[in-house]
Amino acid sequence: MKKHLATVLLVVGAIVYMLLLTRGYVGLHSDSVAYLSAAENLVTGRGLTIYRLFENSTPLSSFPFLYPILLAPFRSMPLFGIFLLNSISFFIFSHSLIKIITLLVKDSSKLKTAILYALVVVGAPIIYAYSMALTEPLFLAAVFFLLRLILEGKLEGKRLFVVVLLSSLLPLLRYAGVFVWLFVGGLLLVQADSLKLKIKHVAVYSSSCIPLLLWFLYLRSLGAESRQLVSDPLTLDFLVVAAKTMWMWVFPAGTLGLGIGSAFLVVAAYGMYSSLKNKNREAVILLWFFTSYILFIIASYAFFDRAIASDFQRILTPLFPIVIMLVGAALFSITKVWVRRVGIVLLSVMVVSIHMGTGVKLIQNGPPLSYRTWQKNDLVAYVRENREKFNFVSNAWEPLYVYAGAYVDRIPVKGQEKRDKTTEYFKRALDRDKPLVFVFAKNHPKFNYLSSPESLGEFYELSLLEEFPEGTVYQIQEKRDVP
């Protein structure tokens, strides 16, 4: 009875937490448009394609397909569907996280579990992930459920089957899910079994690669590639920025943060050393999780996708709970009571003070580009009213595409207006049956990054159609030579 009550309270808590943070809204990212358009195209019979470059049949190649499939049933109310999926995911993530903390701390104290759980869920990476129309909520839920299964027992039998299933689905949700092959594969190799059994388990687990391989073969049959393999030299700056991102999850900036952080690192290092020495299985597995994910990030940047360095806060999100749990567990392992208490209080104060602003800002302003902040926007109303009359490009293509119900494409990056690819882009757009209109939003987060009326006006003729407090609307035409 108590167990069922605890589950019910956790479900209610997850929903309340989501409602308090987002007030029922979800934020939009550029990737959100790809997922939503792929879900719509799937339902309308166009297959796994996305809306891009004024064509509604571009293969979904830069993203895996599982998330759009999950969104497809919510076509008539996609934002509610995303909020529902995020809430369910947060419950699964929370349930797994609490179990992992309990196993790691090896203590029946609910206070210790509650402290570490609270420090994780107030973190900016977690708050951001669960307030957005992105794959991270489901990804975090699946990854930490898998981690919980591994911590609870040996990888064999039914447990191994479930881990294989999750490992086959994770890369189809986010390509970053590939890291679990290294993580789980490494654990299978060091399990205390005979060589014959190790080979058997690894052979069984290798079947988790098949679904992603089939997806890549499907894309190749369409003449599309998932990502360009771009090699980039690994630099010290890359590692420093990644380390700095994780450092600032826990410790404040400046000399004070450096001093406190250094002391904490010494304690944490000693705690990890003790865990390894005492063969603390849970701590060792979490350390290997951390290491395998970092190795995946480095390999991805060096051999696969240099864009991975553009948003460390997002790509490193799965490591935030690991960092908090390992540091907290190390502090809880200190034998001197007063040192332990001071350490936990300091950790709590630092984490809350660092991340509290993100939660407060989200509650006050809502998630980025959410319907709450765009529903009364005149630009949205204009695009909705004229969606049959014009083709649109915009620096705010995400909210206009989702909230105005019109196909709106992203305007090119500022400074690249005369590149061959951009010129071809505009040639195709201007040759279509409807006039091309540029909707420029003043309050979009990337208004300084994408083309502005001034930068685009150097190469194309812009005619002012409408002017609103939120932005301006121009018709784009080829520049005529003035005699």
Side-chain angles (χ1 to χ4, degrees):
M1 185 68 180
K2 288 184 178 180
K3 185 177 181 181
H4 292 306
L5 180 61
T7 302
V8 170
L9 289 174
L10 192 57
V11 171
V12 173
I15 296 173
V16 170
Y17 181 75
M18 294 294 296
L19 286 171
L20 284 175
L21 282 178
T22 66
R23 297 190 187 178
Y25 297 104
V26 292
L28 296 179
H29 185 276
S30 56
D31 291 354
S32 305
V33 175
Y35 299 131
L36 288 167
S37 64
E40 180 185 351
N41 285 353
L42 188 63
V43 173
T44 54
R46 299 188 187 100
L48 286 165
T49 58
I50 58 176
Y51 180 76
R52 182 172 287 168
L53 293 175
F54 299 97
E55 294 180 356
N56 216 1
S57 58
T58 303
L60 179 71
S61 55
S62 295
F63 307 93
F65 62 85
L66 189 55
Y67 192 53
I69 288 178
L70 294 173
L71 292 180
F74 301 100
R75 183 199 176 196
S76 60
M77 45 180 183
L79 298 180
F80 170 76
I82 291 169
F83 180 81
L84 181 63
L85 287 174
N86 284 4
S87 298
I88 294 171
S89 300
F90 184 74
F91 163 70
I92 296 171
F93 170 74
S94 295
H95 198 271
S96 299
L97 188 66
I98 289 170
K99 185 64 176 178
I100 291 168
I101 293 170
T102 303
L103 292 170
L104 176 65
V105 176
K106 296 184 182 301
D107 194 316
S108 58
S109 171
K110 292 181 180 179
L111 178 61
K112 293 179 180 179
T113 301
I115 289 172
L116 292 187
Y117 171 76
L119 292 181
V120 170
V121 298
V122 301
I126 304 301
I127 289 174
Y128 177 79
Y130 280 98
S131 66
M132 298 295 290
L134 291 169
T135 54
E136 274 86 341
L138 284 166
F139 185 75
L140 286 169
V143 165
F144 280 84
F145 181 70
L146 178 145
L147 181 57
R148 169 192 168 178
L149 286 176
I150 291 172
L151 290 172
E152 285 180 330
K154 201 172 181 182
L155 283 172
E156 58 185 7
K158 291 181 180 179
R159 190 184 305 276
L160 179 59
F161 173 78
V162 176
V163 168
V164 169
L165 180 62
L166 284 171
S167 298
S168 65
L169 293 176
L170 277 167
L172 302 180
L173 183 62
R174 276 179 65 80
Y175 286 137
V178 167
F179 95 95
V180 300
W181 296 344
L182 173 62
F183 171 58
V184 178
L187 294 176
L188 289 172
L189 288 174
V190 299
Q191 275 193 162
D193 295 318
S194 65
L195 179 60
K196 182 179 178 180
L197 202 54
K198 285 183 181 182
I199 294 173
K200 178 184 175 182
H201 285 165
V202 170
V204 169
Y205 184 71
S206 64
S207 64
S208 63
C209 305
I210 295 174
L212 185 63
L213 178 61
L214 292 175
W215 170 241
F216 284 160
L217 291 174
Y218 167 74
L219 291 176
R220 184 54 62 92
S221 72
L222 299 178
E225 294 182 3
S226 58
R227 293 281 180 99
Q228 294 290 328
L229 291 176
V230 181
S231 177
D232 219 27
L234 184 64
T235 63
L236 182 61
D237 284 346
F238 175 86
L239 299 175
V240 168
V241 173
K244 186 178 179 181
T245 300
M246 289 186 283
W247 178 275
M248 294 184 71
W249 283 342
V250 184
F251 309 114
T255 306
L256 178 62
L258 183 62
I260 296 174
S262 299
F264 264 80
L265 284 183
V266 171
V267 173
Y270 178 76
M272 293 305 103
Y273 169 75
S274 300
S275 297
L276 293 172
K277 186 178 179 181
N278 298 326
K279 297 182 179 179
N280 184 329
R281 178 176 177 271
E282 290 75 18
V284 171
I285 289 175
L286 289 188
L287 282 169
W288 171 235
F289 180 101
F290 183 93
T291 303
S292 58
Y293 196 82
I294 290 294
L295 290 174
F296 160 77
I297 295 295
I298 292 172
S300 295
Y301 179 78
F303 305 112
F304 189 62
D305 186 5
R306 67 179 63 171
I308 205 167
S310 62
D311 192 351
F312 275 119
Q313 191 73 275
R314 185 181 169 196
I315 193 65
L316 292 174
T317 296
L319 294 185
F320 176 76
I322 304 297
V323 169
I324 296 297
M325 286 190 291
L326 287 175
V327 172
L331 290 173
F332 282 134
S333 67
I334 297 173
T335 53
K336 287 191 176 183
V337 177
W338 73 270
V339 177
R340 181 170 67 244
R341 288 177 178 173
V342 169
I344 291 299
V345 169
L346 267 178
L347 176 66
S348 301
V349 169
M350 287 188 299
V351 172
V352 171
S353 62
I354 289 169
H355 298 279
M356 183 173 59
T358 301
V360 171
K361 185 178 178 181
L362 189 65
I363 293 170
Q364 289 178 339
N365 305 323
L369 303 178
S370 71
Y371 182 68
R372 172 181 162 192
T373 54
W374 282 77
Q375 58 183 328
K376 296 180 180 179
N377 191 297
D378 287 330
L379 297 177
V380 173
Y382 180 87
V383 171
R384 184 185 295 116
E385 292 168 6
N386 293 278
R387 55 190 173 186
E388 301 298 330
K389 185 178 178 181
F390 300 127
N391 286 320
F392 295 99
V393 292
S394 177
N395 65 327
W397 79 104
E398 312 101 315
L400 294 179
Y401 175 90
V402 178
Y403 307 136
Y407 289 122
V408 181
D409 206 3
R410 191 190 81 169
I411 200 74
V413 174
K414 186 183 292 186
Q416 298 183 3
E417 292 87 354
K418 212 52 183 169
R419 288 178 60 188
D420 291 343
K421 187 176 180 181
T422 306
T423 303
E424 178 63 22
Y425 168 94
F426 277 109
K427 184 178 184 303
R428 293 169 64 190
L430 291 168
D431 285 345
R432 290 179 66 84
D433 55 341
K434 293 187 286 188
L436 181 64
V437 168
F438 174 27
V439 181
F440 179 74
K442 296 177 182 178
N443 59 345
H444 191 276
K446 293 183 179 179
F447 79 97
N448 283 325
Y449 167 70
L450 300 174
S451 294
S452 65
E454 292 75 23
S455 63
L456 197 64
E458 295 180 23
F459 308 101
Y460 297 91
E461 187 174 305
L462 301 184
S463 303
L464 181 65
L465 295 180
E466 294 286 349
E467 189 166 6
F468 302 105
E470 299 92 347
T472 44
V473 182
Y474 303 88
Q475 182 175 342
I476 303 176
Q477 296 174 306
E478 289 189 50
K479 210 168 186 99
R480 297 180 179 87
D481 294 328
V482 180

